[in-house]
Amino acid sequence: MTVERSADVSSAALGTQPRSVACQCRNASVDLGSRAGPRRILGDINFDLHEGEFVAILGRSGSGKTTLLRVLGGLVDPTPESVVTFHGRPVAGPPQDVVFVFQNYAASLLPWRTVHNNVALGLEGKVPVAVKRARISESLATVGLEARAADYPWQLSGGMQQRVQLARSLAMRPRGLLMDEPFGSLDAMTKASLQDQLQQVHQHTGATIAFVTHDIDEAVFLSDRILVLDGSPATIAHEIPVELPRPRDQLATKELPEFLRLRRQVYDAIVETGD
Ligand SMILES: Nc1ncnc2c1ncn2[C@@H]1O[C@H](COP(=O)(O)OP(=O)(O)OP(=O)(O)O)[C@@H](O)[C@H]1O
Ligand SMILES: [Mg+2]
């Protein structure tokens, strides 16, 4: 793994403190079935996610990003010698306080339930009714959809449906969010607005976020650190710290020389992985 330091911005200068480990991946490997038998997709993946950290995962199509998220979310079993923990406990099945956000929002919302009742899904039977109602209103307000609570998903635009999925995740108050290209299919303006909302949520909740994307600007804009997957089986080929000041602004941050430098660095890292 190549660990690349930021040019001249140290974490001490930005006042960031060392944080405790939320998620640990040690020698994590994954074998998945193919016609020719099991194939090693991920090999010896090693990294920690720190509590409250926002980590973006990049890599070419088919490099194993979704598979890695599925391992962290307990949806795919790694090989027996792998160690994957969340808050110190081995991941075996989906951890209680971790929520998955998928790219395909249409498939994740139930068309026969209203927006309100879709957001309620993860809370039913888990919290008292009054708490459930309060959390639903609050999370719909966070994504700017409180006025659409009584609508059905099919009455909303794609960007709004993705916001409903995000509201449902937020209502569950997760300590960890695993996001697989959540804004991949949205137009540029909706994407920017959701990035801003996600940034606010991250600041307010302190959730640990692993965010898969193909969009280099999005990765640099949102994250504290970028991991680039490459190889067959895939490992972490590059680890790039992003030490831009927060809160970040769609225009001002993206004009900073450090933003442009990081964007170039990540681009070069991904191009290099294709050699
Ligand atoms: N259920 C499965 N069974 C067998 N092989 C699989 C399965 N899921 C994924 N793979 C293989 O694992 C490799 C990594 O797939 P994965 O979906 O993790 O890639 P990705 O980096 O998320 O790609 P993309 O950017 O296109 O979403 C691919 O070669 C894929 O064919
Ligand atoms: Mg994928």
Side-chain angles (χ1 to χ4, degrees):
M1 181 192 348
T2 314
V3 180
E4 288 130 272
R5 293 304 304 167
S6 184
D8 46 12
V9 188
S10 75
S11 49
L14 292 165
T16 49
Q17 301 292 320
R19 291 177 288 193
S20 57
V21 172
C23 172
Q24 199 176 47
C25 244
R26 287 284 172 281
N27 307 321
S29 301
V30 172
D31 295 328
L32 292 177
S34 69
R35 272 171 174 241
R39 194 160 68 88
R40 185 143 293 195
I41 304 294
L42 302 178
D44 278 341
I45 300 270
N46 288 288
F47 65 88
D48 291 340
L49 299 183
H50 297 102
E51 201 146 344
E53 192 179 21
F54 197 123
V55 171
I57 301 167
L58 274 76
R60 287 167 177 264
S61 180
S63 58
K65 303 178 296 295
T66 296
T67 305
L68 177 58
L69 272 200
R70 290 170 68 81
V71 170
L72 301 181
L75 302 174
V76 164
D77 288 333
T79 55
E81 67 276 13
S82 309
V83 176
V84 182
T85 64
F86 193 79
H87 289 293
R89 287 191 302 273
V91 171
Q96 282 255 311
D97 37 13
V98 175
V99 168
F100 233 105
V101 178
F102 300 94
Q103 175 175 14
N104 190 353
Y105 45 82
S108 82
L109 300 178
L110 300 178
W112 58 88
R113 281 184 167 231
T114 60
V115 165
H116 180 281
N117 289 341
N118 263 288
V119 177
L121 267 175
L123 301 175
E124 281 163 359
K126 294 190 181 143
V127 295
V129 174
V131 174
K132 185 175 80 175
R133 287 212 187 105
R135 289 228 205 138
I136 293 170
S137 313
E138 193 187 307
S139 57
L140 279 175
T142 304
V143 300
L145 281 179
E146 61 276 59
R148 306 303 293 265
D151 285 354
Y152 288 88
W154 42 270
Q155 294 174 303
L156 305 180
S157 72
M160 287 170 169
Q161 290 179 46
Q162 186 59 305
R163 276 145 71 189
V164 176
Q165 196 193 173
L166 194 56
R168 181 167 70 199
S169 311
L170 302 179
M172 292 162 75
R173 302 267 166 88
R175 288 175 84 187
L177 271 169
L178 303 173
M179 309 184 81
D180 195 1
E181 299 185 51
F183 310 147
S185 55
L186 303 175
D187 68 277
M189 289 309 286
T190 308
K191 194 184 219 192
S193 151
L194 281 177
Q195 287 168 355
D196 291 342
Q197 282 163 5
L198 180 60
Q199 176 178 224
Q200 278 178 21
V201 164
H202 177 231
Q203 276 183 315
H204 292 152
T205 64
T208 307
I209 302 181
F211 186 100
V212 167
T213 180
H214 282 285
D215 181 335
I216 294 175
D217 283 27
E218 177 170 75
V220 175
F221 181 72
L222 287 171
S223 73
D224 298 311
R225 189 156 50 111
I226 293 173
L227 305 178
V228 179
L229 280 188
D230 184 45
S232 185
T235 56
I236 295 172
H238 297 268
E239 180 180 342
I240 301 169
V242 178
E243 292 167 336
L244 293 165
R246 292 187 183 274
R248 297 180 186 165
D249 176 85
Q250 290 288 350
L251 294 176
T253 299
K254 289 180 178 173
E255 285 167 0
L256 292 174
E258 178 64 0
F259 182 92
L260 300 174
R261 191 194 67 74
L262 282 162
R263 188 172 182 252
R264 177 63 192 247
Q265 186 181 359
V266 176
Y267 179 85
D268 286 345
I270 292 173
V271 169
E272 182 194 298
T273 63
D275 295 343

